[in-house]
Amino acid sequence: MRLDETTMSLVRLALAEDLAGFGDVTSALTIDIASRSAAAIVTREEAVVSGLDLAAAVVTEVDAEIAFERLADDGQGVGSNVAVARLVGPSRSILSAERTMLNLFTGLCGVATQARRFARAVEGTGVTVVDTRKTTPGLRLWEKKAVRDGGCGNHRFGLFDLVMIKDNHVAAGGGVAATVTRARRGAPFPMKVEVEVSNEQGLLEALAAGADIVMFDNVGTVELARLVSVARSLRPEIVLEASGGVTLESVRAIAECGVDIISTSALTTGALPVDLGLDFE
Amino acid sequence: MRLDETTMSLVRLALAEDLAGFGDVTSALTIDIASRSAAAIVTREEAVVSGLDLAAAVVTEVDAEIAFERLADDGQGVGSNVAVARLVGPSRSILSAERTMLNLFTGLCGVATQARRFARAVEGTGVTVVDTRKTTPGLRLWEKKAVRDGGCGNHRFGLFDLVMIKDNHVAAGGGVAATVTRARRGAPFPMKVEVEVSNEQGLLEALAAGADIVMFDNVGTVELARLVSVARSLRPEIVLEASGGVTLESVRAIAECGVDIISTSALTTGALPVDLGLDFE
Amino acid sequence: MRLDETTMSLVRLALAEDLAGFGDVTSALTIDIASRSAAAIVTREEAVVSGLDLAAAVVTEVDAEIAFERLADDGQGVGSNVAVARLVGPSRSILSAERTMLNLFTGLCGVATQARRFARAVEGTGVTVVDTRKTTPGLRLWEKKAVRDGGCGNHRFGLFDLVMIKDNHVAAGGGVAATVTRARRGAPFPMKVEVEVSNEQGLLEALAAGADIVMFDNVGTVELARLVSVARSLRPEIVLEASGGVTLESVRAIAECGVDIISTSALTTGALPVDLGLDFE
Amino acid sequence: MRLDETTMSLVRLALAEDLAGFGDVTSALTIDIASRSAAAIVTREEAVVSGLDLAAAVVTEVDAEIAFERLADDGQGVGSNVAVARLVGPSRSILSAERTMLNLFTGLCGVATQARRFARAVEGTGVTVVDTRKTTPGLRLWEKKAVRDGGCGNHRFGLFDLVMIKDNHVAAGGGVAATVTRARRGAPFPMKVEVEVSNEQGLLEALAAGADIVMFDNVGTVELARLVSVARSLRPEIVLEASGGVTLESVRAIAECGVDIISTSALTTGALPVDLGLDFE
Amino acid sequence: MRLDETTMSLVRLALAEDLAGFGDVTSALTIDIASRSAAAIVTREEAVVSGLDLAAAVVTEVDAEIAFERLADDGQGVGSNVAVARLVGPSRSILSAERTMLNLFTGLCGVATQARRFARAVEGTGVTVVDTRKTTPGLRLWEKKAVRDGGCGNHRFGLFDLVMIKDNHVAAGGGVAATVTRARRGAPFPMKVEVEVSNEQGLLEALAAGADIVMFDNVGTVELARLVSVARSLRPEIVLEASGGVTLESVRAIAECGVDIISTSALTTGALPVDLGLDFE
Amino acid sequence: MRLDETTMSLVRLALAEDLAGFGDVTSALTIDIASRSAAAIVTREEAVVSGLDLAAAVVTEVDAEIAFERLADDGQGVGSNVAVARLVGPSRSILSAERTMLNLFTGLCGVATQARRFARAVEGTGVTVVDTRKTTPGLRLWEKKAVRDGGCGNHRFGLFDLVMIKDNHVAAGGGVAATVTRARRGAPFPMKVEVEVSNEQGLLEALAAGADIVMFDNVGTVELARLVSVARSLRPEIVLEASGGVTLESVRAIAECGVDIISTSALTTGALPVDLGLDFE
């Protein structure tokens, strides 16, 4: 498996932080150069696994002689004290790779685990909880995959794959109707147009101007439900998204307002790393 | 101010994630190309500022015509709703830079803010709380600076600037005495030698073998206090570090055991981003 | 103006091809180091200008002391023997930059000039002629801009900003209905779904399965017109695209079949460079 | 086979254009991850093959599990509907690589095919038709190889491997005699000196000053033949080159004037890509 | 074996210098493409071997089909006319790699050979001769390894792994006592503090302020011996270093003054390359 | 002045070696952040200056606020204790840049100084002493310039700008006559052909086959003079080069044998760095 250049660049940056100068002096001084070990990556708490390919890539980048054996799959939920992968190879190299590998892998498992919680919170509502662009610099591809591994969905990848007109664009561009109309006319035809609104006036303008997706930002649930039914009555096929103030506690109530999509950065920046350890056999 | 290549590489990776393909299509379609704006980075909660240079670098990388004016200093504590910097320049470019800049800056402020809490928790004990190598890939330099901006200290930067013999090295290398002795003999003379111990036997071996620093991992406070006094009686100048199970609640009790240093990943991976917004004037 | 890293990487690759080893030996040996010149980029045939920013970037990369003065705008049509830009600076540096700059600039003007021809050919039909992914490696962003500068439009940028189900996907994925249905269900919600069909059966499946865009590949104009009216009668808002066998001669007839979009690689790989010269004053 | 860094950088730039963001979403949504295919690169018109190594490198860069089997050799002329290579491997990866691979490969075959036409046009005259520095940025090495694969020859690679005094150098440097003399004296001794002349006066100065090669730019065939015989009578071993206004129609008449070398950008920028398709079995 | 990115970047820079443009034209024109050879790297004088991994990496980077067989080990002393490695593979590739490989390898053997001389000169004194930061740009890791291969030791790697207060810092920072005190207080706790002194006053301040290492710069041996005994009487465990005016002739006398460490750039910048040749079998 | 990418890559590699991890900790801890200094680069021995642009580039890369004032020119001979450049700017940054800048600059001055000695040794003979490809990896461009600054000349830059048939090519390619003939026929016409010979038989073959340059390797002066006159009698304009066993002592005698060119690695790998210091005012 070969990862994309962006990912490999990040892996190399991360390894270079840890292995500058004389490199892993401790392992060189205390571990015999011929020593070989086996070590397992073990959960210290419940987790959804994500990022095995990236973990493997770090390890292989440090030393291609380390074998990385998968004992679980991305997207799999596991209990505490479960081995999800096993490394076999030169002891020094395994120790040199350990921290950089875990820094990446524990974060991705954290995102997937958090996504699993949100997916469960809206189970049965037909709503998809999706991520945002609040991701760790250089790791967006992996964190968006972790979100899917956890059972949630993805919003746009970046600024380039959706016209998304936010409050600042509306303000600078002369209102909802004007900006949506301009976007519809000027956008590359394969691209959808989404607009953020905060009240009925904005909603009506958005629907009339032909937005593909309407996003309600920070609208209370009572008003949200009302606006959703207004929208559905005018354009039944419109895609409706809610955002703002989304927590594990509030998400189901928002989902029950009838939107299609709920977006929240809680999936990524709100997720703490999962506790994983590297246990030598 | 010119940032190092590692940092600029990460900035470019992060920007490339957001600005691939057709780039910021929304701003291109809704904002006049000649439009210029001023916008402030404003706190939405109490924070310690950190990373202004990095925020400025992102903005300048997107468009060198954006002026980045500092309204606060790294290390400064500010209340909610305070403008810490101001951007003036082409509206499109400011919007294109916003998310990548905030993704980096909110994280660093989060680390500094967390560090301030820990620094206060041990105030007056003479103990320094320090970070670990559990940092965001590519951002170690900045997160370690944020830790200092918050009032805590730094442990080693990477694997290369301290011989640090951990449990796995001890196990593979034949015990505390053997590994410390080998390290003392073989290490480049400018480098200190630290060893992790978990009981009195290990401590005595470490002291006898000439370790510069001894780290107690996950030792309860009663036993910790006892081991500290044993160590001090034998080698008064020895540097003693505690690690494991460190929280904002537990840190002062640990500090009062008499160690010099308490290390914890709670400063970095335990820190949530500070909520910052970009408000157009 | 700061260009993206991809562009600058290509510029550096191109310059490195021309300036390896001892560099521009001829200028060093024949031109006085203190000599300064002014030279104009002059058309040798009718052209639509495109890529002035890129031409300027090459020149500045070679020597930041060369001033690059624009005498025309991207998108502007000019006759033969018109100066579109002017370089003033060290004579040696201007000569060193000349070929690499012209190699890039003449190609982009060629694309824009070709696009202008196609745009005129369909004038008044309401149809947009768009490009494909058949572009010069490393120059896609610039060639797609040149297409717009010439008055045509853009198809998707790459594999990542549209689900586009082509014949191979249909064959491997179990037919039009099955692949479109799967794509609709699995695609990130901000992404449209396009499918290629070659007959009425495929069209009906595509419409029923909810495709956003349907593309007819290599369908004769009589049949094409019939399929368009079938499609419009069933889903009036559907976006319809024709592709295959598109030339300057055939494009208007295709447009008059009632599609919205005609895509053709003739805009890019079919465009010869415009003849431009660098005339010293 | 390992390609040079410049080539691999270009391959990665080109792939990154196509595979940013979520990557090849269509294949991921419509093709089973376990599906494997075989597909042939098939000519749709007569062609001279060139660039098989580069095509293979693109495919391997996308997925090292794709086997690339050569069914022809660089330099081989083939008819229409001939398979020149065969790819076997994961279906998704083959589809993801297809466009970038073909964009590079069709262009190189186009150059080789064009070169074959020119080589045939001068067959038997003893003249070599050679390329110029008008090449696709980043692909000079490959296009110059394609020129040789087609049966023509190469001029200098870049600015660094020949002193080539053109009209601008002559004008700025004080005439043919002065510039050639200065170049002969100052050039690294392993380098030849060529000078462009447009009349007999220039030719005589060039010959007297010791130029190794004289290039006639845009001289009509009658005058060209006369100048060639003047040159041969004075310095029989002198290498003579003609350039300017070279087409498939005019090239033989120019060759018959007695020059050694005819240089023309028609070999590269004048060559359209060969039509190749990827046919799944 | 996989080398770090810094090393591979340097290898690629070096190869690119030699293999730009048309590459190794001579081998392409004179050696059959199918020819395979075996060639040995042979000493032309006595040497200590160092850098076999780097030599192998260059060769493999040029052509992975060349097998690189080690006939000696790094650190091994060999006589003249001894084969230390053997290359088997495509003749052209071996010739293309030869010069770049030897440029790197002969330099490292030169450093190791020089280090062996210094190590022998102080044999039995208990003193370690160490290197400085005067190393070839991009090759510090390898030259510091060569120093160890020769039997000497390493000083700090760079500016980052030791606080080393030199005369300029002392002058700018307010004297020895002030700078050492500030450093001790502010340095990351895992880092040692060294200070340069030139007389007894400086020494006493350094010892009192708690320096871990004291370096005497350019102090004559009589005075040096006296200062060493002053230092030992006050802080027996202090590490003492001498520097300045160190030659193969003077080093033993300096060592006998009782210091622990003697640092000298003679190990690196003073070492000429060892004469090695590539002999084809 | 903007340096080429190869050079800047090397500068960044070199700086990264010195400034990893926490960077220049000593300056940060002992020098006030607001402190500004002036410091001169001063010779400690006689020298020919070379590389001022590179020295300036290092300094500017560390901190663009440091002004680099030239007090001498490349190629200028200066005595001991002469200031050749002056740095004014932030004290910390000057100290951080010092070692990397001097490592590069002292080496280049060493090459220029050595070249000056060789140039003087052959003064009046009309012979040019030139360098070889034995240069420091990544620095070939600069060392070849230093050779010229010292008054000597350059051989080819790399493997790509001259066909140079050495003993191994002759052996593998079937003798002098065969290899030269093949090279003459196959080489790009702008490239010269040189061949190494060791006796009269080889010389006669080389002359007959049309070599542009003949190189005598390790031929004693008596025989060399004889072979030179043989060559001149047959082809007066032939360029003759001697190589092997060239020292400052032997070079004049070799020159007096009548060759045009003497090549020797003593100009580069035989040159020790010039002793330069950075003196703060």
Side-chain angles (χ1 to χ4, degrees), chain A residues 230-243:
Chain A
V230 169
R232 297 277 185 234
S233 68
L234 291 168
R235 280 189 39 208
E237 87 297 350
I238 188 79
V239 174
L240 299 174
E241 173 184 347
S243 190

Side-chain angles (χ1 to χ4, degrees), chain B residues 115 128-132 144 147-148 150-155 262 267, chain E residues 188-189, chain F residues 22:
Chain B
T128 306
V129 181
V130 302
D131 49 32
T132 66
K144 290 206 166 242
V147 164
R148 295 196 304 273
C152 291
N154 296 139
H155 209 302
I262 299 173
L267 294 180
Chain E
F189 78 95
Chain F
F22 288 117

